[in-house]
Amino acid sequence: MIRRVAITGVGFVSSLAQDAPSTWAKMLEGGCGIGPLTKLSMPGEPAQLAAEVRLPSGPDRGRRVTFGEHIALVALREALRTTLGPKGLHPRRMGAFQGAGTSGLPSAEAFAQGRMAGRRPGAADAIYQSPTTITDALGRELGAMGPRSTVMTACSSSLMAIGQAWERIASGELDLAVAGGAETLCMTTYAGFSSLKAMDPGLCRPFSRDRAGLNLGEGAAQFILEPLDQALARGAEIQAEVCGYGASLDAHHSTAPHPEGEGATMALRMAMDCAGFNPEDVDLVSAHGTATPANDSSETAAIRAALGGAAARVSVTSTKSQFGHTLGASGAVGAFAAVMALRTGKVSPTLRLENPDPACDLDYTPLFARERVVRAALVNAFAFGGNNACLALKRWEGR
Amino acid sequence: MKPLPGEASIVITGMGLVLPCGDGVEAARSSWVSGIPCFAELPPHLGAGRGALCSAFKPAGIIPPMQMRRLDRPSRFAWGAVHQALADGGVDWTAGALGDRVAMTVGTVTGGSEAGEAFMRPYFERGPEGASPMVFPNCVANAASGHVALAFGIKGPSSTQVARENAAFMALDQATRWLRRGVADAVLVIGTDGLFPLQMELLRRAGRLAVHGDPIAEAGTGYLPGEGAQAFLLETRDHAESRGARIRAEVAAVACAAPVEESSEARAASLAMAVSEALGSETPAVWIGGSNGSRRLDELESALRKLHPDWPEPRFPKLIWGEFCGSGGQLLAAGMLEAQEGQVLLSGPGSLGCQCAAVIRRVRL
């Protein structure tokens, strides 16, 4: 790797607000975007909660767009506004990297439902809406003629996408990339997690003794990545530095994480090695923190194993308590919390953590946001299939 | 991406194929040499029409029966192809887990979708009572990588790429990066897709399929679907030589380019750009194309042929084995079957996303 990589633009459409600064302000106030489920009609489900994005959708510049494309584009445009350029880059040296979870499923569900109801639904929408469609829309918006990578590793997708973008910029192949993820609610995932008894009918409680599962959510978080020297030369504000990433497979179980967090530990260690971080350098872990019984204890074990004694002084936070689990976008949402913490020296809270699980014995920033020095952060995302990812970020300190 | 001066050379040391023509390299070679399409009438559960199914796929002795029940078609095919590729590459996985120095990149589009339909159909009929928690975990595109990781004890990095017709190109590209960065000693590159009823119905309704005979390149009469998996074991040349592995081919370059407009001309220009970057100014010894009989793909390669009238005529594996709709790995498989010392160009036109190209050379099967 030959170049340092900076994040110079951030955009976030969330269930709390429709832009990054407003969302961050509400996160620090302890806002929760999870509320009654209104976008899906699933009356038989015991859980009726979700973190929904309230944003009117319609054609975009004359093109039909899905809701997933729409919120992804809104987030990208915000990110481009904050980065203020750069101008004159060669289109071949720009790319789009997206993590996807359920993109395209709502239209396939509508087709299948229509067919079962005896109608003859049109197939064009279901064919058109694929995960690649969002990546394409972002690439076109950016004017990028370079690679368009759509990663689908379930809940670690968008973190892998950011990692891939870092790889291409650090290696000197690209000069700019949009990376992140967008996720919208759909029936398949709602019914699926419910069938696994992984949904809390109440508000989720990551790392709590009485945690009972997750809430699902939607949102889009997008980042502009570019070489640090290029960003400095044009006077861009450096939001954070991306220092590398790690990834691993559990090879343990199709849905359950390794109880000791073996695969997750490998991903954390790989990210730290890649970034050149010592455990003592890390001040924050933006956790996967789904509030499922298996994840939270496994993740705690992984953080302890990777950071050793330094784990005791690290702040941990779970964005799932504020945004629910945004699946394919959740890694990017976690990265947003980490980038903002690095910039502001404030760590967003893990809500509703009033009764901690003794097996989860780290500092999870319970209930309230906290000020502290945050020099470096790790972002975790773990997925079905045992796909683990960890992103390493560093505060920009002027050199 | 081409290796920069001083960067590691990437080689292929193992290949496994599950194709409509049968399992293994020999079945594929016979099919490729004959050029006879593998299309047949689809079984009733897939509805009316023709396609290329892996009807001869025999996982007995490879996938334990208890596991078999839990796997969707892309995962079964991937497991079978990886089994072959590791054996071909002289990698003994039976002695223990392959561990964290082996990585995996998968290209697919239908991965997870077959299970999605199987999960939601009873849900729509009977509500939550119909939803099976055994099926849901396969509803993710990366289900195949999870199953393969479990089967062979693979614990290194893994990425599943989706890119319509060119997912396997993106997987190949990512694999070369991880090898050059040294994050793995070997990477399994897998393309896998499987046909399922909802997909077939969507394609029929959308008028994408050839309905009068087999597909013909540039005829614009539609394509016929296929399925299967292709697995390739990649290593750096140094690593392969150090363990005495037989080197089957060298991955000379992978390139992708995307248009900023949604026109056919813009996509054709992107494909030409990707091909130019992968191949440079040289003339390929062999050209394997991604045309499948649909206008949306074929016109891109038609434009490329007009640009390079001196190049050899392309051959199109999708006209024999079907359009896998996602993986695209059958192009690399066909390139390997050519066993050419010179440059084998693989051009991957895409209906969405990137237009892709790769060059392999010194192919020795």
Side-chain angles (χ1 to χ4, degrees):
Chain A
M1 294 295 141
I2 57 174
R3 299 197 292 188
R4 292 168 69 183
V5 178
I7 292 176
T8 57
V10 177
F12 190 14
V13 177
S14 77
S15 50
L16 279 174
Q18 293 169 11
D19 61 66
S22 308
T23 296
W24 181 240
K26 290 188 176 179
M27 287 173 74
L28 296 180
E29 290 166 5
C32 178
I34 305 164
L37 175 69
T38 66
K39 290 192 172 185
L40 304 174
S41 175
M42 306 190 72
E45 293 296 345
Q48 290 292 325
L49 292 174
E52 299 180 346
V53 170
R54 305 283 169 204
L55 190 65
S57 179
D60 188 287
R61 297 180 182 173
R63 283 181 67 250
R64 64 174 179 167
V65 292
T66 64
F67 189 61
E69 272 178 272
H70 178 61
I71 60 176
L73 284 166
V74 171
L76 170 59
R77 285 167 189 154
E78 183 191 7
L80 288 171
R81 280 197 303 276
T82 59
T83 196
L84 300 173
K87 309 288 184 207
L89 295 181
H90 196 288
R92 282 291 289 136
R93 293 185 59 81
M94 298 193 287
F97 299 80
Q98 285 297 296
T102 61
S103 320
L105 268 180
S107 58
E109 288 169 354
F111 179 90
Q113 273 189 303
R115 185 187 56 180
M116 290 180 67
R119 297 191 297 271
R120 288 180 59 82
D125 272 356
I127 294 274
Y128 167 75
Q129 292 182 26
S130 89
T132 318
T133 310
I134 293 180
T135 316
D136 261 356
L138 294 173
R140 281 194 303 268
E141 181 77 14
L142 193 63
M145 297 176 74
R148 289 182 190 164
S149 172
T150 309
V151 181
M152 286 188 85
T153 52
C155 304
S156 61
S157 301
S158 53
L159 217 50
M160 291 296 292
I162 297 169
Q164 288 187 358
W166 166 81
E167 226 160 25
R168 302 247 191 172
I169 292 173
S171 69
E173 184 184 345
L174 294 183
D175 293 330
L176 193 84
V178 55
E183 188 75 69
T184 57
L185 290 169
C186 76
M187 297 178 77
T188 305
T189 48
Y190 208 92
F193 283 103
S194 180
S195 76
L196 293 173
K197 312 289 184 212
M199 301 260 281
D200 191 333
L203 294 168
C204 68
R205 290 153 289 168
F207 304 109
S208 293
R209 185 197 299 260
D210 55 354
R211 65 187 181 276
L214 51 84
N215 308 128
L216 287 173
E218 55 188 5
Q222 303 293 342
F223 302 94
I224 301 297
L225 276 63
E226 60 182 302
L228 178 65
D229 54 0
Q230 172 184 296
L232 292 174
R234 69 185 185 82
E237 183 183 355
I238 312 297
Q239 314 252 358
E241 194 174 342
V242 184
C243 302
Y245 77 111
S248 69
L249 284 158
D250 268 359
H252 169 70
H253 188 273
S254 59
T255 56
H258 188 283
E260 302 301 321
E262 188 183 282
T265 303
M266 280 194 287
L268 268 76
R269 285 182 176 150
M270 187 177 161
M272 289 197 296
D273 283 351
C274 187
F277 290 174
N278 294 311
E280 297 74 26
D281 299 329
V282 178
D283 293 315
L284 171 69
V285 176
S286 182
H288 192 51
T290 56
T292 56
N295 174 84
D296 293 3
S297 53
S298 164
E299 182 169 17
T300 298
I303 294 168
R304 279 209 169 280
L307 298 181
R313 45 157 293 281
V314 166
S315 288
V316 181
T317 186
S318 167
T319 57
K320 309 291 189 294
S321 66
Q322 301 193 292
F323 303 109
H325 193 342
T326 53
L327 303 178
S330 68
V333 171
F336 173 79
V339 167
M340 297 308 287
L342 290 162
R343 274 187 60 193
T344 64
K346 294 172 183 168
V347 178
S348 56
T350 301
L351 302 182
R352 300 177 288 282
L353 181 48
E354 290 163 336
N355 183 15
D357 181 348
C360 300
D361 55 353
L362 300 174
D363 177 1
Y364 302 101
T365 324
L367 306 177
F368 303 105
R370 194 183 307 160
E371 291 195 21
R372 69 162 292 168
V373 173
V374 186
R375 299 161 301 160
L378 299 175
V379 185
N380 290 343
F382 311 132
F384 276 13
N387 274 87
N388 307 300
C390 179
L391 185 72
L393 301 168
K394 194 165 77 173
R395 182 175 71 182
W396 171 243
E397 297 186 351
R399 60 189 169 80
Chain B
M1 149 185 232
K2 277 188 175 178
L4 298 169
E7 280 191 326
S9 165
I10 307 298
V11 296
I12 297 173
T13 54
M15 177 166 72
L17 303 176
V18 174
L19 291 167
C21 56
D23 299 352
V25 173
E26 286 314 311
R29 195 200 316 255
S30 299
S31 171
W32 183 242
V33 169
S34 77
I36 299 170
C38 296
F39 303 111
E41 290 299 315
L42 293 171
H45 78 279
L46 290 175
R50 286 157 59 79
L53 267 69
C54 293
S55 309
F57 177 54
K58 295 282 190 301
I62 298 172
I63 306 177
M66 284 291 286
Q67 295 290 328
M68 188 75 176
R69 291 189 301 122
R70 298 179 182 169
L71 305 182
D72 60 352
R73 291 173 78 77
S75 298
R76 291 176 187 182
F77 297 152
W79 187 322
V82 167
H83 188 275
Q84 290 178 38
L86 292 174
D88 186 44
V91 176
D92 181 9
W93 69 92
T94 57
L98 291 177
D100 61 356
R101 294 300 297 169
V102 177
M104 184 169 18
T105 59
V106 180
T108 185
V109 160
T110 62
S113 302
E114 176 195 1
E117 183 184 13
F119 179 77
M120 286 308 285
R121 187 191 294 268
Y123 188 92
F124 287 143
E125 288 168 354
R126 308 201 303 275
E129 292 299 311
S132 167
M134 296 292 286
V135 177
F136 180 62
N138 278 333
C139 293
V140 291
N142 59 315
S145 78
H147 292 302
V148 169
L150 270 166
F152 300 97
I154 296 169
K155 298 185 177 182
S158 174
S159 182
T160 295
Q161 304 286 146
V162 297
R164 280 285 167 93
E165 295 83 1
N166 288 330
F169 278 93
M170 301 304 289
L172 178 66
D173 189 58
Q174 185 59 43
T176 64
R177 278 162 216 288
W178 280 343
L179 287 170
R180 292 203 172 101
R181 274 184 58 211
V183 303
D185 293 333
V187 184
L188 278 159
V189 177
I190 304 164
T192 187
D193 275 301
L195 294 178
F196 61 102
L198 181 61
Q199 172 200 14
M200 291 306 304
E201 186 171 347
L202 284 167
L203 294 174
R204 269 193 297 271
R205 288 275 179 88
R208 300 284 173 92
L209 302 180
V211 291
H212 302 293
D214 291 343
I216 300 167
E218 297 182 18
T221 51
Y223 63 85
L224 287 177
E227 63 177 8
Q230 312 82 41
F232 307 92
L233 183 65
L234 269 65
E235 307 171 61
T236 62
R237 179 178 290 280
D238 286 351
H239 186 266
E241 287 176 348
S242 71
R243 71 178 186 91
R246 183 173 47 184
I247 293 172
R248 294 204 172 283
E250 181 182 330
V251 180
V254 187
C256 53
V260 291
E261 295 166 15
E262 282 185 283
S263 67
S264 169
E265 292 76 15
R267 286 185 292 121
S270 292
L271 180 63
M273 198 179 295
V275 166
S276 168
E277 287 186 11
L279 192 61
S281 56
E282 295 185 37
T283 297
V286 174
W287 180 4
I288 307 292
S291 290
N292 63 5
S294 75
R295 193 179 309 278
R296 196 169 167 83
L297 293 196
D298 295 5
E299 61 192 4
L300 309 186
E301 277 179 337
S302 176
L304 198 57
R305 289 169 78 175
K306 285 176 186 153
L307 277 175
H308 301 285
D310 53 326
W311 284 6
E313 281 292 303
R315 289 196 65 194
F316 303 113
K318 293 177 182 179
L319 301 183
I320 301 172
W321 300 326
E323 171 57 81
F324 291 9
C325 298
S327 59
Q330 70 270 53
L331 273 65
L332 181 52
M336 293 288 286
L337 295 171
E338 286 287 342
Q340 269 285 339
E341 187 67 17
Q343 309 228 51
V344 178
L345 168 66
L346 316 170
S347 59
S351 57
L352 281 176
C354 281
Q355 310 298 321
C356 295
V359 173
I360 57 174
R361 62 189 171 205
R362 301 189 186 103
V363 182
R364 299 184 185 98
L365 276 187

